[in-house]
Amino acid sequence: MENLIGSDDDNAEYEGDGESEEGNQEYEEDDESQESDPNFEEYDESENSDPEYEEDERQIEDEDHMDDIMDVDNNIQDVDVDMGDFTLNVESDVEGSCINVVHGNEPEDMEVINNEEFESLDEGSDQDRERRALIKNLRKEKREQCRGVVPVTNKGQVGSQATTSKRKGKELKTQKVTCGWYIHASRSNPESDWFIRTLNQTHTCLQTRKLRACTASLISKKIFDQVEANPDIPLRAIQDHFQKTYQVGVSMDKVFRAKDKARKHITGDYTKQYELLRDYVLELQATNPDTTVKIDVCSKPNPDSPTRQFRRIYVCLGPLKKGFKACLRDLLGFDGAFMKGPFPGQVLSAVGLDSNNGIYPLAYGIVESENTESWKWFLDNLGDDLDLGRNSNFTFISDRQKGLHTAVEQIFPNAEHRYCIRHIHDNMRKRWRQTEYRDHLWRCASATTIPEFEHLMKEFSQYDKEACEWLKQIPPKHWARSHFSGRAVSDVLISNMCEVFNGKIEKGRDKPVIGCLEFIREYLMKRICNVMKEMKKAKGPLTPTATDILAARKTVASQYIARWNGGDKYQVTGALQDQHVVDVRNKTCTCRKWELIGIPCTHAIATLNEMSKDPEAELDIYKWVHKVYFLETWKKAYSFKVEPIKGRSMWPKSECPTKLIPPPHRTQVGRPKKKRRQSEGERLSKKQKASQGDGVNAAQEGGSQKPTNDGVQKLSRKHISVTCSKCKNKGHNSRTCKGQGGNQSKK
């Protein structure tokens, strides 16, 4: 059952444990009236209109039916979840016909006139008046005739009619033959069925594809199954389907309106789904135990109002909550993505990393905008689910969003908050676009020790002091590995886990509120199944990613020499003055790579090779690997399954006395956008890729670059660093060089 907290106050918050699916939506009928076919002529001998005949016709008709920054060491190894199987293919053979034939139902008891009984009646008797009334009712007949015509091939043909038409100011006399198709039907009283008396089913006229009775409402009923199976079916496919199957031509505008009607009936109206949101929550919590769902509403000046305006919703599925704790990684990434539709907002998400460096979504929600207040509300709920207090030393990674940064500092002041290095580079690229700045930034961020970090920052300052001072304004504890702690068992620098998750749910962000939440839940449910398939392929005691990292370090460790000090420490020496100390007892190395990610570094593996000379030493390298990377830990995290839910008609009904209404409607300017907004760095990277691709193609063809006026695009040197021919430094040419040799600062 649900609990409505503070329903009498200005803010009401809904929390409980519940379920989902689509509810019964009322299908709005088209206001357009279905007019008769222009190829048919109607003769009504009675004075009264005949609504039942039109109703029978309608019933019969219904029955026919990233190159800029790459973190190679922390590449996100996520499984491919194909959400396309929720949109099945549509079969080309569709039963149905566009010809509406009137079928008369056989009456159980026909009224037959007995002429012998009426012959002896007087004209003024009551029986005579009844006889005249019955005959009058029988005369209520209808005759439909095809108005299609056939051009006359032989003059004087029987049934031809002479017609006069004007063409270019001249009168032309032609003869046309009327079509022989007609139907004659009658009935005894307005309540009885129609009976076909005469029917000629042979058409001799030319067929026409213009049919006013083929409205958008009729088309939406015919394509309902197709749109339900494939919501992305092209409009041109629907138009061709009607033309081939029903021999009817429809415009693209009418097809668009018909598809929109069918889509609204399937996915539900955007406004209607807010009323069913509490029922969805109850169903979600009933099928997935320990699920947390909270609904926040806008403040109302009148607490006695029967309605509450939706503001936010937070969802943390119980199975994902248990699985994240089993991952043994205190690391979460935060990000937001735009909603589409008449009620825009933001989809906030909290995504972690599993044992195989794949994404593990934990919680998600829909808020009005990405600001400090919404992030504080989201983090408060997340902290309650993970039992995180203000003194928690959890690790978070996000972009440099001001609202999120402030919210983390207020809710978790002792947490380790990392900044995505890609977003830092995007801000730097607005002023310094050369690739050398990117290389300096990445070397400084990836340094694992403080002395190495200070040395690289000094080199950056010699290259460009102004850019280095700009970077120093950002505390290194937020973006440099040398200042990270090893609590998260990960040295990730880029929030790729959030970008991957936002890309997977992109098609669900333009759906109504319940449809969006259901799309995310179904994606999470199927993703667990795909990861389990990958687990069956794994062989070793470690996950595939950890196995590859360890194998690569074993190869490099053969070039190092380890010397024992007689205790628990070893001195390991390599090329280029690479010398560090390995502490076997504490499982640490002065390079800090072992401490940061939990996998033995090359120095530790070299130490193990030296220890192999002692027959009494323990030589199991897997004991030096953190348990987060073991295959058993990976399997345990995905042993908690997201449960399916029932249909909307079987959802429990909420007993909350108030009714949820949608948030304020905001009309978006311009055409609705489907693609994600790209940063300036991403746009510049794509331009560089395009220019490099053109250069490779030209070189492969063996042809020289031609000017643009010859039809071949000339390669651009914009944003590409040049090398000075005098001092051999990048960033300037020989004409602007101020000296030869040495490091020259770029001004």
Side-chain angles (χ1 to χ4, degrees), residues 20-167:
S20 126
E21 250 289 279
E22 298 179 320
N24 296 326
Q25 297 291 338
E26 295 182 359
Y27 183 77
E28 298 181 358
E29 294 292 335
D30 191 17
D31 293 334
E32 301 175 348
S33 60
Q34 297 185 1
E35 301 178 9
S36 59
D37 191 341
N39 287 344
F40 291 86
E41 184 175 359
E42 179 177 348
Y43 300 93
D44 191 356
E45 297 181 3
S46 63
E47 297 178 358
N48 300 329
S49 62
D50 198 353
E52 293 190 4
Y53 178 71
E54 298 177 358
E55 182 179 356
D56 290 341
E57 286 185 328
R58 287 195 297 267
Q59 292 177 356
I60 295 172
E61 185 177 288
D62 292 341
E63 292 175 358
D64 294 337
H65 297 27
M66 285 205 279
D67 181 57
D68 50 345
I69 292 291
M70 290 291 295
D71 191 355
V72 180
D73 295 335
N74 293 281
N75 188 21
I76 302 299
Q77 302 290 338
D78 191 40
V79 296
D80 186 16
V81 180
D82 184 14
M83 296 297 289
D85 61 354
F86 290 100
T87 58
L88 305 178
N89 296 327
V90 180
E91 296 181 359
S92 58
D93 299 334
V94 179
E95 298 181 359
S97 174
C98 66
I99 302 177
N100 297 326
V101 182
V102 180
H103 299 280
N105 296 328
E106 290 294 333
E108 297 180 358
D109 187 12
M110 296 182 62
E111 296 181 0
V112 181
I113 300 175
N114 189 354
N115 292 327
E116 295 180 356
E117 182 180 357
F118 283 100
E119 286 179 354
S120 60
L121 297 178
D122 297 334
E123 293 182 359
S125 62
D126 294 338
Q127 293 182 356
D128 183 55
R129 285 193 294 269
E130 293 177 1
R131 175 178 176 274
R132 292 177 182 273
L134 181 59
I135 294 175
K136 185 178 181 180
N137 290 332
L138 289 176
R139 290 176 181 175
K140 292 183 178 180
E141 302 174 348
K142 278 196 174 184
R143 179 183 177 88
E144 297 280 355
Q145 184 175 358
C146 179
R147 295 189 302 179
V149 294
V150 180
V152 179
T153 55
N154 298 327
K155 295 183 178 181
Q157 183 175 351
V158 179
S160 62
Q161 297 178 355
T163 59
T164 303
S165 61
K166 289 185 178 181
R167 187 175 299 174

Side-chain angles (χ1 to χ4, degrees), residues 274 277 294-298 310-315 335-340 343-349 364-379 381 401 509 513 516-517 520 663-664 666:
Y274 286 96
L277 190 57
K294 294 185 179 181
I295 298 177
D296 186 24
V297 297
C298 299
F310 174 84
R311 190 180 182 186
R312 307 172 183 136
I313 184 172
Y314 167 85
V315 181
D335 198 7
F338 285 97
M339 285 280 292
K340 287 111 173 174
F343 305 108
Q346 292 276 342
V347 179
L348 304 185
S349 58
Y364 53 93
I366 299 177
V367 298
E368 71 281 6
S369 62
E370 193 175 0
N371 51 38
T372 304
E373 197 65 27
S374 62
W375 273 116
K376 287 176 62 178
W377 182 79
F378 185 85
L379 293 178
N381 297 327
Q401 212 275 342
R509 288 187 276 133
V513 56
C516 178
L517 297 175
I520 298 175
R666 299 185 184 94

